[in-house]
């Protein structure tokens, strides 16, 4: 690690709001691959929060979030710029860009879709997983470094192994010092953790790195609460590319899916 460490905010939250769409990260947003970067998880939660606050409407909800990770996410001060790409009465496409050190580090788009009563035909095929109180405490910081991982409470279900696992997460830290984010943004700020909960190989030297280049989230139900359940499977191809696939849960059951494409590199 050769880059200088950034100037971080202090507090028991992930980001300090500086106003005007500007923020400063704390140690709790620190990444696992490098000390000077942010973890994608809280950054994606903050961007989801900014998207939810952009021209809000009561008759629509975010159903898909797509994040492209365009490079290392620097710690410290940055800006989130949010725009409407495709306005509409029944569907809208929004965009948020995290801009740090003069470049876009993450570009996110979100489809907001109009809601209606379809309770008569509602059905979910994804299976439930054991709840957090049926699982055992799990120390993610024993596997991964960084302030973000240390900020989590984690529980693991029986049968956890390299490449597959069922894990519950929550955090006591709000996304920002204003502590007024909704459940969706808070839970979206945990989803990217999925790529590390059942790693096929141990991270670190003389092994492999497997950072994800994107994060795709589809939600057929609006999640609630502070616990996020991850029913996780990790596949490595033979040509340096992998995929982490996850069914997402809250305490009421499954609510959607996440996918992360991986670049696998020998360390």
């Amino acid at each position: 690690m050769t880059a200088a460490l950034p100037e971080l905010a202090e507090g028991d939250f992930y980001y300090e709001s500086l106003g005007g769409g500007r923020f400063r990260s704390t140690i709790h947003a620190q990444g696992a691959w490098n000390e000077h970067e942010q973890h994608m998880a809280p950054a994606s939660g903050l961007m989801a929060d900014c998207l939810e606050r952009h021209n809000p409407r009561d008759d629509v909800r975010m159903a898909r979030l797509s994040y492209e990770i365009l490079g290392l996410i620097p710690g410290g001060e940055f800006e989130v710029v949010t725009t409407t790409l495709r306005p509409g009465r029944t569907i809208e496409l929004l965009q948020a860009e995290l801009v740090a050190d003069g470049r876009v580090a993450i570009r996110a788009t979100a489809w907001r879709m109009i809601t209606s009563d379809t309770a008569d035909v509602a059905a979910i095929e994804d299976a439930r997983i054991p709840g957090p109180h049926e699982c055992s405490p799990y120390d993610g910081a024993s596997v991964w470094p960084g302030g973000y991982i240390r900020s989590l409470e984690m529980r693991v279900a029986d049968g956890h192994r390299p490449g597959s696992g069922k894990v519950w997460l929550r955090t006591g830290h709000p996304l920002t010092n204003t502590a007024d984010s909704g459940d969706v943004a808070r839970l979206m700020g945990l989803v990217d953790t999925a790529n590390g909960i059942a790693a096929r190989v141990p991270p670190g030297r003389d092994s492999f790195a497997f950072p994800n280049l994107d994060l795709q989230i589809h939600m057929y139900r609006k999640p609630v609460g502070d616990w996020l359940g991850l029913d996780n499977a990790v596949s490595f191809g033979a040509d340096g590319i992998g995929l982490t696939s996850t069914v997402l849960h809250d305490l009421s059951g499954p609510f959607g899916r996440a996918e992360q494409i991986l670049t696998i590199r020998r360390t």
Side-chain angles (χ1 to χ4, degrees):
M1 198 277 293
T2 57
L5 294 179
E7 182 179 345
L8 301 178
E10 296 184 2
D12 290 329
F13 43 82
Y14 291 104
Y15 298 102
E16 177 188 10
S17 176
L18 304 177
R22 300 200 65 83
F23 302 90
R24 183 180 289 112
S25 64
T26 69
I27 188 64
H28 306 301
Q30 184 186 48
W33 297 111
N34 295 287
E35 290 183 82
H36 56 283
E37 70 177 340
Q38 293 183 51
H39 198 287
M40 176 60 182
S44 56
L46 180 67
M47 295 177 79
D49 192 33
C50 292
L51 287 164
E52 283 206 304
R53 296 174 190 271
H54 180 72
N55 296 334
R57 291 171 51 185
D58 293 334
D59 59 338
V60 296
R61 74 165 176 88
M62 284 196 298
R64 193 220 66 181
L65 280 161
S66 178
Y67 298 88
E68 309 298 337
I69 306 170
L70 303 180
L72 185 144
I73 310 164
E77 189 171 337
F78 61 92
E79 181 181 13
V80 177
V81 180
T82 310
T83 56
T84 300
L85 296 180
R86 192 274 192 196
R89 185 180 66 83
T90 61
I91 57 173
E92 297 179 326
L93 184 63
L94 310 182
Q95 176 178 277
E97 292 184 324
L98 190 155
V99 183
D101 293 346
R103 65 172 181 84
V104 178
I106 310 169
R107 179 173 292 122
T109 56
W111 279 110
R112 287 201 302 209
M113 303 170 63
I114 198 164
T115 57
S116 62
D117 184 0
T118 54
D120 288 347
V121 294
I124 295 174
E125 296 292 337
D126 292 323
R128 296 179 68 101
I129 62 174
H133 302 298
E134 302 172 72
C135 299
S136 303
Y138 178 65
D139 182 13
S142 66
V143 181
W144 291 96
Y148 167 69
I149 299 299
R150 293 195 300 270
S151 76
L152 301 177
E153 177 185 355
M154 308 177 74
R155 293 178 176 270
V156 62
D158 291 343
H160 191 272
R161 61 172 175 81
S164 179
K166 298 175 177 64
V167 172
W168 287 92
L169 322 171
R170 69 176 173 181
T171 177
H173 301 305
L175 274 174
T176 72
N177 56 307
T178 59
D180 59 354
S181 303
D183 289 355
V184 171
R186 180 168 53 250
L187 292 174
M188 294 305 98
L190 300 171
V191 173
D192 188 74
T193 320
N195 189 37
I197 65 165
R200 297 207 65 86
V201 295
R205 294 185 178 180
D206 302 320
S207 181
F208 289 87
F210 40 92
N212 51 304
L213 305 184
D214 75 340
L215 173 62
Q216 312 294 328
I217 301 170
H218 293 81
M219 295 177 284
Y220 45 74
R221 177 173 66 80
K222 183 177 180 178
V224 296
D226 57 357
W227 279 108
L228 176 70
L230 304 171
D231 188 356
N232 184 253
V234 183
S235 299
F236 281 4
D239 61 352
I241 298 172
L243 178 69
T244 296
S245 301
T246 309
V247 180
L248 305 173
H249 299 250
D250 63 12
L251 293 181
S252 296
F255 67 82
R257 292 177 174 243
E259 303 278 344
Q260 296 157 288
I261 199 70
L262 315 178
T263 173
I264 306 168
R265 306 167 182 175
R266 190 178 294 275
T267 55

